[in-house]
Amino acid sequence: MKTPVRILIVEDESLAVMAIKESLERTSYKICGEAADHDSAIALMKTESPDLVLLDIGLKGKPDGVTTAQSLKKIKPVLIFYITGRMEDETYERAKKTNPIGFLYKPFRPWDLVRQIDLALHNYHEGNPSENRLKSYDDDEQKTDLISTSDYLYLPDRTARFRIYIKNIIYLEADKGYTELFLTSEELDRLKRKIRRVVVAKGLSNILDYLPNTFYKLSRSVAINMDHLDRIETSYLVLGSYEVALPEGTRQPLLERLNAIRSRKRT
């Protein structure tokens, strides 16, 4: 079954929200949240991870809808569809820079909204072919920017919804500008993809910038998730079902890092 497009509504007029919900209730789209201002939209973006945001440009107060769109896109490369009662030329130019997939003026008839969204998504996907998809074969290579939240590392596919639970990354290994992410079986099952590897076209240090401090750089080419560290042997580490070689001279610094983490947890 095709996964429905998840829509976040950002609108501060209750009647407009009701009209939008009425328009979408008999479609295949799924409303995953409603927000009336910038801050609540940001909170819902982080918890619900929508695919598309229906966003009122003229939100009362500040920040306005355009600034809200800019903030949302910093969290995830989400699609923006603006709804507005009126728009000055200056506002239009600002809005255009956020690369929305569509505009619709209020008031609108219920089916106008549905058709405009359908058309906008169709045109977006036609104009953004498979180079943005995450491929699903063994030697998978990702040449795309990364985005992270407290829970997820995003590797955009065609609909910008491919995400990896950071907690389910066991360790990372780099080679010649590419970094391979080794995932738990739980994560591979959740992704429902028949892949053995996820490889990102970025160096290890660059990827670590997107990850929390539970990840420890063991060497120039290997970083481990300390939460998956089960055992430290003389020459190797055990992380779940994986064994990772322990380079000479790295055992003691690793033990010191573990002790520091344990001390912080006790306090």
Side-chain angles (χ1 to χ4, degrees):
M1 180 182 293
K2 187 177 179 181
T3 303
V5 174
R6 292 164 52 81
I7 295 178
L8 170 63
I9 300 171
V10 184
E11 168 64 70
D12 58 7
E13 295 182 3
S14 58
L15 291 178
V17 174
M18 289 175 61
I20 293 170
K21 293 172 70 174
E22 179 184 347
S23 302
L24 300 179
E25 65 181 1
R26 295 183 180 179
T27 70
S28 60
Y29 300 121
K30 180 180 179 180
I31 298 173
C32 65
E34 302 171 27
D37 55 40
H38 173 278
D39 291 349
S40 56
I42 295 300
L44 283 169
M45 171 62 74
K46 293 178 179 179
T47 58
E48 298 298 329
S49 188
D51 308 306
L52 171 67
V53 179
L54 295 180
L55 178 57
D56 179 20
I57 287 183
L59 292 175
K60 294 184 178 69
K62 294 183 179 181
D64 67 0
V66 178
T67 301
T68 299
Q70 294 168 341
S71 298
L72 294 174
K73 281 177 167 285
K74 290 178 182 179
I75 299 171
K76 172 187 172 182
V78 68
L79 302 179
I80 300 293
F81 189 106
Y82 285 118
I83 299 173
T84 183
R86 60 179 220 147
M87 189 164 25
E88 306 296 336
D89 289 344
E90 181 183 351
T91 303
Y92 174 75
E93 292 301 323
R94 288 177 56 227
K96 192 166 64 173
K97 292 178 181 179
T98 64
N99 299 315
I101 64 170
F103 289 90
L104 184 64
Y105 284 87
K106 296 185 275 187
F108 53 81
R109 292 173 297 181
W111 279 106
D112 284 342
L113 177 61
V114 174
R115 288 169 180 164
Q116 288 297 322
I117 292 174
D118 286 344
L119 181 61
L121 289 173
H122 171 78
N123 290 339
Y124 172 79
H125 292 312
E126 286 296 313
N128 292 270
S130 58
E131 66 265 18
N132 287 329
R133 292 187 193 172
L134 183 68
K135 304 170 188 174
S136 57
Y137 49 82
D138 278 355
D139 293 320
D140 192 11
E141 295 182 355
Q142 286 306 294
K143 296 182 179 180
T144 181
D145 287 334
L146 304 179
I147 294 177
S148 66
T149 65
S150 58
D151 296 320
Y152 299 109
L153 179 67
Y154 285 92
L155 302 174
D157 64 7
R158 187 173 182 177
T159 57
R161 289 193 298 108
F162 182 88
R163 61 186 183 182
I164 295 174
Y165 270 113
I166 290 174
K167 69 177 183 180
N168 287 339
I169 301 174
I170 298 177
Y171 76 101
L172 306 90
E173 186 170 3
D175 182 33
K176 297 179 181 178
Y178 290 86
T179 302
E180 182 172 355
L181 280 62
F182 292 84
L183 309 176
T184 64
S185 57
E186 173 191 357
E187 185 66 9
L188 292 174
D189 289 343
R190 188 189 68 82
L191 296 175
K192 297 180 181 178
R193 294 174 182 265
K194 295 180 180 178
I195 59 175
R196 181 174 58 85
R197 306 172 63 192
V198 172
V199 180
V200 183
K202 284 187 176 292
L204 180 60
S205 294
N206 287 335
I207 295 180
L208 289 177
D209 289 340
Y210 295 86
L211 298 176
N213 59 11
T214 53
F215 286 80
Y216 174 74
K217 192 172 183 181
L218 189 65
S219 65
R220 291 181 62 184
S221 60
V222 175
I224 63 172
N225 185 346
M226 304 282 270
D227 289 340
H228 288 282
L229 182 57
D230 294 325
R231 197 165 72 249
I232 303 176
E233 299 291 348
T234 304
S235 59
Y236 67 92
L237 306 175
V238 177
L239 298 101
S241 60
Y242 294 98
E243 291 185 359
V244 177
L246 189 58
E248 184 177 353
T250 61
R251 192 172 189 273
Q252 186 58 38
L254 174 60
L255 290 173
E256 292 173 359
R257 174 65 178 271
L258 276 173
N259 288 333
I261 291 175
R262 287 170 182 164
S263 297
R264 286 199 297 269
K265 287 183 177 179
R266 282 197 295 268
T267 58

